[in-house]
Amino acid sequence: GLERRMKAIVIIEDKQEELFVAIAAVKEKLGIVGVEGLGIGVDDVVTFKMGFELVEGNSLFFAHDLTTAENAIKFAQDKMRAGFVKEIYILTDLMFPLKKGGAEQANGVSVILDAVEAGIPVTVCSDTDHHEVRFLPKLCRTLENSNPDAKINLVLDRKDWKKAVDLLLPSTQSLA
């Protein structure tokens, strides 16, 4: 099955109820059953004012805005350099503010750019109509071509977190 330990997964979503659905989908994929609620509340002030939970050896980071998300990604990269994390994955919404309480913008694109630069797999999950963001698939293909390690998945039109997580965290069963 899926290698369960030592992953860092950064989840970026500004709507609380959607964030809970996203976290539940990640936990289900990691094979973690019956975990009620979160170890640490999303709005708790942790190192970088981000939510954090350690789940069976995996670090889950939650962010509501781009500033917090960038800090979470840096923190995950530090953990990787220190040997506490083997792999980093990013699951992100498309439309969310730069700072808490700010206007919603397509800040998911900024996350995609950072992920590609760092060679971190990223999946965008958004209810944005794909007709409204026609540039996005082309942008992602172009970015993937710029870095052979880049892996970008898009789930548009409705927030299907389960599908997004399946694309982000592939099962290793097929490799057995």
Side-chain angles (χ1 to χ4, degrees):
L2 194 64
E3 172 54 53
R4 289 221 181 115
R5 305 206 172 277
M6 311 234 344
K7 289 185 195 327
I9 302 161
V10 180
I11 305 168
I12 307 154
E13 165 61 66
D14 59 323
K15 290 172 189 68
Q16 189 85 0
E17 61 280 6
E18 286 291 345
L19 184 62
F20 286 134
V21 177
I23 291 165
V26 168
K27 286 182 176 178
E28 189 186 335
K29 182 72 178 188
L30 291 172
I32 298 154
V33 193
V35 179
E36 283 301 317
L38 301 177
I40 296 175
V42 176
D43 291 320
D44 283 359
V45 177
V46 196
T47 326
F48 294 112
K49 292 188 166 62
M50 65 193 169
F52 173 75
E53 186 180 6
L54 196 63
V55 184
E56 299 202 1
N58 297 290
S59 306
L60 304 189
F61 299 94
F62 327 118
H64 283 312
D65 56 61
L66 183 61
T67 310
T68 311
E70 287 172 342
N71 284 331
I73 293 164
K74 282 193 196 91
F75 192 65
Q77 288 173 305
D78 288 345
K79 276 188 166 296
M80 192 160 165
R81 278 188 285 272
F84 295 114
V85 162
K86 283 187 191 150
E87 302 164 294
I88 303 172
Y89 297 89
I90 300 171
L91 180 62
T92 186
D93 184 19
L94 179 62
M95 304 293 294
F96 54 89
L98 172 68
K99 292 193 171 78
K100 195 176 164 78
E104 279 201 1
Q105 304 291 350
N107 281 309
V109 175
S110 185
V111 173
I112 293 169
L113 289 166
D114 289 346
V116 167
E117 205 170 35
I120 300 170
V122 58
T123 295
V124 175
C125 185
S126 174
D127 52 11
T128 303
D129 184 322
H130 72 276
H131 296 294
E132 304 285 329
V133 286
R134 273 176 43 196
F135 68 91
L136 200 57
K138 188 175 182 180
L139 176 73
C140 291
R141 281 193 304 272
T142 306
L143 288 170
E144 279 184 326
N145 291 337
S146 76
N147 181 350
D149 295 330
K151 191 172 182 322
I152 311 165
N153 291 297
L154 294 176
V155 176
L156 299 171
D157 299 318
R158 73 183 187 91
K159 285 191 179 171
D160 186 342
W161 293 108
K162 198 165 160 27
K163 180 181 176 185
V165 170
D166 280 339
L167 289 168
L168 183 65
L169 301 173
S171 295
T172 48
Q173 272 150 337
S174 53
L175 306 173

